[in-house]
Amino acid sequence: MNSVETGLLILLVLAFVIYRQFKTRPADRSSIFYISAVVIVIGLVSGGLFDPDHFALSLAFLAAEGVAGVGLGILRAMTVRIWADAQGVAWSKGTVWTLLAWLASIAVRVIEQVAGTSMGLTVTTGGILIFVGLTLATQALVVSRRARALPGSAARSYNVER
């Protein structure tokens, strides 16, 4: 997959996920974990994660990108509105803060790309895909845990029965 195709894939996945986060949906769902796993695997197999000329620096940079992805996923998850209906079903919906957190996530990723390039690292789309997969999975995990923690929520028993 060339970088244009990968870039389009990233944009499509992000647009789809962001769009769906602003719809009222059950809070405890696992489909996003499959999407995240596929994105991460594509990022890993696309290669070029490490710059052979700056191996230690690129390894540290990849780790920092991973930490940023997880942290931003947690931040976005905390902005999602979660509630339980009368039957105990947990629901979620993104807020204006969620949109602002997405914009911050994108800005951080762009800054990381610029910083990596300015340090002389070869920037590839594999790192971007791993970042996107990690941040999506983290957000989904935290939203799901918040839903299960709601008083009167049936999400806990629903999740165990799957």
Side-chain angles (χ1 to χ4, degrees), residues 5-18:
E5 291 171 341
T6 305
L8 288 174
L9 174 65
I10 293 167
L11 289 176
L12 287 174
V13 167
L14 280 178
F16 175 73
V17 169
I18 293 170

Side-chain angles (χ1 to χ4, degrees), residues 48-59 116 119-123:
L49 294 177
F50 304 108
D51 187 339
D53 296 331
H54 307 93
F55 183 77
L57 181 60
S58 63
L59 180 62
M119 288 188 275
L121 295 174
T122 303
V123 178

Side-chain angles (χ1 to χ4, degrees), residues 5-67:
E5 291 171 341
T6 305
L8 288 174
L9 174 65
I10 293 167
L11 289 176
L12 287 174
V13 167
L14 280 178
F16 175 73
V17 169
I18 293 170
Y19 168 77
R20 291 190 46 123
Q21 285 182 8
F22 290 93
K23 298 283 188 186
T24 300
R25 300 177 29 97
D28 195 28
R29 56 194 182 274
S30 60
S31 62
I32 193 67
F33 293 111
Y34 298 118
I35 293 170
S36 299
V38 168
V39 170
I40 290 170
V41 168
I42 292 171
L44 290 171
V45 299
S46 67
L49 294 177
F50 304 108
D51 187 339
D53 296 331
H54 307 93
F55 183 77
L57 181 60
S58 63
L59 180 62
F61 200 72
L62 184 64
E65 290 173 326
V67 169

Side-chain angles (χ1 to χ4, degrees), residues 53-118:
D53 296 331
H54 307 93
F55 183 77
L57 181 60
S58 63
L59 180 62
F61 200 72
L62 184 64
E65 290 173 326
V67 169
V70 169
L72 290 163
I74 292 169
L75 172 70
R76 285 192 318 276
M78 299 309 292
T79 66
V80 173
R81 180 174 174 245
I82 300 174
W83 70 97
D85 64 13
Q87 291 78 30
V89 176
W91 296 90
S92 68
K93 184 175 183 177
T95 65
V96 171
W97 291 108
T98 309
L99 179 61
L100 292 174
W102 267 112
L103 293 174
S105 295
I106 293 167
V108 165
R109 187 61 196 143
V110 168
I111 291 168
E112 288 174 344
Q113 290 286 85
V114 170
T117 303
S118 69

